[in-house]
Amino acid sequence: MKSRRMFWRIVEEIEASIASGEYTPGSRLPPERELAEKFDVSRPTVREAIIALEVREKIEVKTGSGVYVLQSANKADQTNKINAFELTQARALVEGEIAALAANTITKEELIELNKTLIMMENKSYVEEADEMFHQIIANSTRNGALIKSFQNLWALRASSQKIITDYASVCSKDNKKTLDEHTSIYEALLANDASEARLAMHRHFNRLINVLFDTVEAQSLEEVRRKNSEKRDLYSIDNLVNRLS
């Protein structure tokens, strides 16, 4: 959670610098090393921020040249149109196929690292960090650069708007045991080199997340209805009216 907040802070600060004109459209951002020193963070954290900015269409990464601010960087952020439901569905489709491919490409060493993340998940304080590591290891094990990039872009979208951050936080904080069980099922399918079961286990995982999201949104909507009704009840209460007039 701490590293996630750190990279999100960097995204916001760079976006603010773009909006203020410090980094103009077409200009190149400072090198990764300088940004790490400027924000007092690790270079991997800077890389996460760069991926998020690229997804938000603020910058363009040119291999061998650098990171450049896009001409459209100051326009309204289009990623705000993406909601948590769309993101989760997209992740299910992409990561389901990633898991199926990984079942035939993952190494013993990667399986060991994957199992370590399951041990981390047993501690509620490290669920978020372990979850990202788990999915990243599986994506990396495909040896497919396009799939790895797709995974990174989808993961970065989790931090692309405050609404998605809030919705995902409400999901991730619920039922840690089910989360651990689902990840264990994915791990066991990969351990058995069972592509069909790996895909299915990944789909089951995201299907539950979708349902929890719906339950959360429904509960929030009901709470909002109750709040508004309470305000109206106070407004039209005869007792309150008499008290105000007396």
Side-chain angles (χ1 to χ4, degrees):
M1 289 296 290
K2 183 179 179 181
S3 63
R4 181 158 301 285
R5 289 194 297 268
M6 288 171 63
F7 103 77
W8 180 241
R9 173 178 62 82
I10 295 169
V11 170
E12 291 180 330
E13 291 196 26
I14 292 179
E15 285 187 333
S17 295
I18 292 172
S20 69
E22 179 182 348
Y23 300 135
T24 58
S27 66
R28 187 170 65 178
L29 291 184
E32 184 181 283
R33 175 181 52 78
E34 289 184 23
L35 289 173
E37 291 176 357
K38 177 180 179 180
F39 296 113
D40 192 25
V41 296
S42 66
R43 293 177 69 167
T45 300
V46 171
R47 283 195 287 272
E48 284 190 81
I50 293 298
I51 291 172
L53 287 164
E54 190 173 19
V55 169
R56 291 166 70 91
E57 298 182 357
K58 299 295 184 180
I59 54 94
E60 178 184 10
V61 179
K62 296 182 179 180
T63 304
S65 178
V67 180
Y68 292 84
V69 179
L70 289 173
Q71 294 294 330
S72 59
N74 284 322
K75 292 183 180 179
D77 185 7
Q78 295 299 305
T79 58
N80 284 330
K81 296 180 180 179
I82 298 172
N83 60 49
F85 296 100
E86 293 171 326
L87 174 57
T88 306
Q89 185 181 63
R91 287 188 63 198
L93 292 172
V94 174
E95 294 196 50
E97 295 311 305
I98 284 176
L101 178 58
N104 295 310
T105 58
I106 197 164
T107 65
K108 290 182 179 180
E109 291 74 20
E110 287 167 332
L111 285 167
I112 291 172
E113 293 303 309
L114 208 59
N115 189 53
K116 288 179 181 178
T117 68
L118 297 178
I119 296 172
M120 285 179 64
M121 282 184 202
E122 293 176 358
N123 186 328
K124 291 183 179 181
S125 300
Y126 297 106
V127 172
E128 182 81 2
E129 180 182 354
D131 182 41
E132 181 173 3
M133 291 172 62
F134 181 90
H135 290 276
Q136 181 71 68
I137 290 169
I138 295 174
N140 290 345
S141 73
T142 65
R143 317 283 183 260
N144 184 308
L147 286 176
I148 294 170
K149 184 69 172 179
S150 296
F151 162 78
Q152 291 173 337
N153 287 342
L154 285 170
W155 191 274
L157 280 171
R158 286 179 49 142
S160 64
S161 76
Q162 189 57 52
K163 184 68 170 66
I164 292 178
I165 292 172
T166 301
D167 287 343
Y168 260 86
S170 66
V171 170
C172 293
S173 63
K174 292 184 178 179
D175 212 330
N176 185 54
K177 184 180 184 304
K178 285 186 178 178
T179 299
L180 179 58
D181 289 345
E182 289 161 359
H183 284 78
T184 300
S185 295
I186 297 167
Y187 165 76
E188 290 175 347
L190 294 172
L191 185 64
N193 302 121
D194 188 333
S196 296
E197 180 58 30
R199 179 189 294 111
L200 182 60
M202 189 69 79
H203 285 174
R204 283 196 295 259
H205 171 53
F206 283 112
N207 189 56
R208 184 181 68 84
L209 293 185
I210 284 282
N211 287 327
V212 173
L213 274 171
F214 272 113
D215 291 342
T216 301
V217 170
E218 183 179 78
Q220 291 171 345
S221 297
L222 287 173
E223 182 60 32
E224 180 64 13
V225 169
R226 291 193 186 98
R227 185 187 64 78
K228 289 182 178 179
N229 282 342
S230 178
E231 290 177 353
K232 288 182 180 179
R233 187 178 290 112
D234 290 340
L235 177 63
Y236 296 112
S237 166
I238 299 303
D239 289 338
N240 286 345
L241 178 61
V242 171
N243 289 333
R244 287 198 299 270
L245 294 176
S246 61

